[in-house]
Amino acid sequence: MGSRGPAVSRCCALYAVLGALVCGLRPAAAMAASDERRSASPVATTPCWQVEDFVVAQECAGCSSFEVKTLPECVPTGFIEKISCPTSKREEVKSCRSAVMEAHVFWRFVGTMMCVAAVFAVLVVCRQRVLDRKALEKVRKQIESI
């Protein structure tokens, strides 16, 4: 047992390192390097509407099929609005939530919940009838045995 101890601990350490690599964990040096790359140019990658005042140039509208494929802002909601930043004189697009889309999702949710409630109400009534029948049958048998 004494000679197998170090081999087992090395094997466990190897499995731990391989598990960390498979799970996507990165060593601290690689994480620090990626953090440095991200913090090197925060102004170039940060949209102007996050760091300064902006004016909505075009209200929230649905993305076309071409825009969905080309603009990453269209992916989360399917709607974008055009933003104008007067300080930096930049025009950008921003993902937005449409009031029409929100209303549609809300009423779909309400309809689904009403259907689920109706189904469970029917199940409760059916179950109650079954229990009532069993109780009546039990009482009938007790009366017959007297």
Side-chain angles (χ1 to χ4, degrees):
M1 172 130 176
S3 63
R4 293 180 72 189
V8 171
S9 64
R10 279 191 214 119
C11 184
C12 288
L14 180 63
Y15 282 139
V17 170
L18 288 175
L21 290 175
V22 168
C23 291
L25 300 175
R26 299 184 299 181
M31 288 174 59
S34 69
D35 288 343
E36 287 175 15
R37 274 185 261 127
R38 272 187 266 154
S39 64
S41 60
V43 177
T45 59
T46 305
C48 71
W49 53 268
Q50 287 184 341
V51 293
E52 60 183 86
D53 291 333
F54 62 89
V55 177
V56 177
Q58 183 182 358
E59 290 296 323
C60 193
C63 297
S64 66
S65 60
F66 177 73
E67 288 174 330
V68 169
K69 294 175 185 172
T70 57
L71 294 175
E73 290 86 2
C74 283
V75 174
T77 61
F79 291 86
I80 57 170
E81 62 185 356
K82 292 190 171 49
I83 301 295
S84 175
C85 299
T87 308
S88 62
K89 307 247 190 282
R90 288 169 49 186
E91 297 278 329
E92 294 186 4
V93 292
K94 171 183 155 185
S95 182
C96 62
R97 301 180 80 91
S98 167
V100 173
M101 178 189 71
E102 292 292 325
H104 180 70
V105 169
F106 171 75
W107 287 113
R108 184 185 309 164
F109 172 76
V110 169
T112 303
M113 291 301 109
M114 294 295 282
C115 291
V116 168
V119 166
F120 281 108
V122 168
L123 288 175
V124 165
V125 168
C126 292
R127 178 70 179 153
Q128 189 62 47
R129 286 182 182 172
V130 167
L131 291 174
D132 287 344
R133 261 190 247 122
K134 285 183 179 180
L136 285 173
E137 185 67 26
K138 193 173 186 180
V139 169
R140 189 183 60 80
K141 283 183 181 178
Q142 284 179 349
I143 290 173
E144 286 177 356
S145 68
I146 294 178

